[in-house]
Amino acid sequence: MTKQPEKDYSIYFQPPSLTDAKKRGKEDITVHYDFDIPEELRELGKDKFYLIQTYGCQMNEHDTETIMGLLEQMGYRPTDDRKRADIILLNTCAVRENAEDKVFGELGHLKHLKTAKPSLLLGVCGCMSQEEAVVNRITTKHPFVDLIFGTHNIHRLPHLIKEAYFSKEMVVEVWSKEGDIIENLPKKREGIKAWVNIMYGCDKFCTYCIVPYTRGKERSRRPEDVIAEVRDLARQGFKEIMLLGQNVNAYGKDFEDINYRFGDLMDDIRKIDIPRVRFTTSHPRDFDDHLIEVLAKKGNLMEHIHLPVQSGNNEILKRMSRKYTREHYLELVAKIKKAIPDVVLTTDIIVGFPGETEEQFEDTVSLVKEVGYDSAFTFIYSPREGTPAAEMEDNIPYEVKVARLQRLNDTLNVFSKKSNEKLLGQTVEVLVEGESKNNPEVLAGRTRTNKLVHFVGGKELVGEFVHVKIVEAPTFYIKGELVKAPVKS
Ligand code: 5AD
Ligand code: SF4
């Protein structure tokens, strides 16, 4: 094997500039339809095994499906056994510090594996690899890593693997170029539910959030491409799709030739014969009346909306740069509830934003009570280097933030329980997903509103729609009894 010349990282690594990011324009979005893996790379993974560890959000999980698709087209096969793996990739998340800590901890463990098996190829991808400080830390402190590639470089993986096999240096390819959409990437999907990207990136720049920098600018897939993919999934027999985007309500804003927004897309997908359609994540600012009107038609559009609020206090919302007020958010909630009376709302909330006072936190608790969410993801604010909020003065002790999180969760649990109890005695439609985690006799499935239901039933019901009567309603799931199965398929 010939040794490659010394690598100049600057050629491969153009870190995103946080100041430049805000100046980015809409002009240069290019959709590529010509993706292909060259013949000579399709043999690289023959008789080899891969393992991917995924951290973070559903966008990352879906990226992992693409990476799996690429690897399998190169001949690799999956394994859960780290010792057997010839390539291990960490698909990372940068949204909070503890997600990053986990990855660095994992790299420590992987070092031993690599020492025992030098032919093992170790790679880091996902949002962390878009951060300059992370890449510098890996190149200096974890030099045994073979490959780092960014969120805009996934389609380059076959080439990068080849380069990593033949190179003695770490291969780093992180593009800040973010105006591209690569269609026709292979995806390994399993089961009855499938994720579908409708857009990439985020232009909202909430002051606490790293995502607009790691995922680049907002760019929407063409409607015809999304629709063709959903039709294909329906043909393949998938029962549920989850449309993905960091801010799905901004879908279509970047189209210059057509006036076609998220409500239009949902209205078109509604007509496709796929039983259940969900979407995540919404931004209250862009949630328009047309979308509400379309969602109210129901059918295969589920009556569950995840609507991150982050805080119930106007001053904090302003400093978060959320671009709506508490009043605007509550008005939107009222409109949605009026149009879809049985809607279930869930949310994301950050406690302990820099300088958040007790009164400001109480505004969040009161908003939670006013909306009556069924559940929520709640987080303690985590400073992300390079974001505006990380520069804000924060005089709130960590213990106070932990206590607030606890109080908030206690309030949320009361509402979860209440909403689950409302279902007692009712018969609901459940899509059966599989056996429950702790008991193979018990099946687990989801209602239209995405509530987890456990009930006794045979494995042949997995993937079917059944009717279940709710008999018990603890906080985090509900128990039911099978009434009738299957109801449709
Ligand atoms: N600290 C804590 N939580 C955060 N989120 C995003 N950035 C941060 C941060 N720096 C939360 C928001 C978002 C969810 C995906 O993660 O609530 O909606
Ligand atoms: Fe982050 Fe805000 Fe964009 Fe969501 S909308 S990804 S919180 S910047």
Side-chain angles (χ1 to χ4, degrees), residues 95-96 208-209 308 310 348-350 379-382 384:
V95 90
R96 279 171 295 275
Y208 51 82
C209 186
Q310 313 299 357
D348 291 347
I349 297 169
I350 296 177
F379 311 99
I380 292 178
Y381 167 72
S382 168
R384 305 286 58 217

Side-chain angles (χ1 to χ4, degrees), residues 106-337:
E106 198 55 32
L107 282 177
H109 298 138
L110 292 173
K111 184 178 181 180
H112 301 294
L113 267 183
K114 177 87 182 171
T115 315
K117 184 176 173 180
S119 68
L120 170 66
L121 209 69
L122 280 182
V124 177
C125 58
C127 284
M128 276 173 72
S129 58
Q130 290 290 144
E131 292 180 279
E132 188 173 4
V134 169
V135 175
N136 289 339
R137 184 166 160 191
I138 295 176
T139 50
T140 51
K141 301 230 171 75
H142 305 274
F144 54 92
V145 169
D146 301 285
L147 172 62
I148 304 177
F149 60 101
T151 55
H152 309 299
N153 307 73
I154 293 177
H155 63 290
R156 296 263 310 140
L157 185 60
H159 298 272
L160 298 177
I161 289 179
K162 180 180 171 203
E163 208 175 319
Y165 273 133
F166 290 104
S167 169
K168 289 265 180 288
E169 308 290 327
M170 191 187 299
V171 174
V172 183
E173 190 178 280
V174 180
W175 289 345
S176 56
K177 179 166 168 31
E178 54 196 3
D180 288 356
I181 293 178
I182 318 286
E183 288 294 340
N184 306 325
L185 288 172
K187 294 182 171 78
K188 186 180 179 183
R189 290 174 162 126
E190 281 167 342
I192 52 172
K193 304 209 271 190
W195 287 296
V196 177
N197 285 123
I198 63 163
M199 59 183 303
Y200 303 96
C202 180
D203 283 348
K204 278 282 178 279
F205 291 98
C206 302
T207 55
Y208 51 82
C209 186
I210 194 82
V211 169
Y213 312 105
T214 62
R215 291 276 172 179
K217 70 179 174 195
E218 274 170 10
R219 53 219 190 273
S220 309
R221 286 180 71 199
R222 300 294 303 181
E224 57 275 20
D225 294 333
V226 176
I227 287 165
E229 185 171 345
V230 174
R231 286 219 174 95
D232 187 45
L233 292 166
R235 262 194 302 274
Q236 289 178 47
F238 282 93
K239 300 287 163 66
E240 179 173 314
I241 55 162
M242 172 70 93
L243 305 174
L244 290 180
Q246 249 78 41
N247 169 11
V248 290
N249 307 87
Y251 178 81
K253 267 187 163 178
D254 52 321
F255 293 149
E256 280 171 353
D257 55 337
I258 47 170
N259 183 10
Y260 187 94
R261 299 294 305 273
F262 188 51
D264 301 307
L265 182 69
M266 291 301 271
D267 207 21
D268 280 337
I269 290 180
R270 191 174 66 77
K271 294 165 197 150
I272 300 176
D273 190 15
I274 187 121
R276 285 185 173 187
V277 179
R278 302 184 188 280
F279 58 94
T280 200
T281 282
S282 289
H283 192 294
R285 162 91 182 199
D286 298 320
F287 210 109
D288 59 42
D289 291 351
H290 180 227
L291 177 62
I292 299 176
E293 211 178 283
V294 171
L295 294 177
K297 296 180 188 171
K298 291 195 182 171
N300 61 357
L301 308 182
M302 299 297 100
E303 48 275 13
H304 168 219
I305 299 172
H306 186 67
L307 195 60
V309 67
Q310 313 299 357
S311 166
N313 174 269
N314 281 339
E315 173 58 27
I316 296 287
L317 286 171
K318 196 165 170 205
R319 284 203 282 124
M320 287 178 163
S321 194
R322 289 291 289 177
K323 302 180 181 77
Y324 55 83
T325 59
R326 173 192 176 100
E327 292 72 29
H328 169 249
Y329 184 92
L330 287 171
E331 225 171 84
L332 175 63
V333 165
K335 255 196 258 175
I336 293 172
K337 284 184 173 173

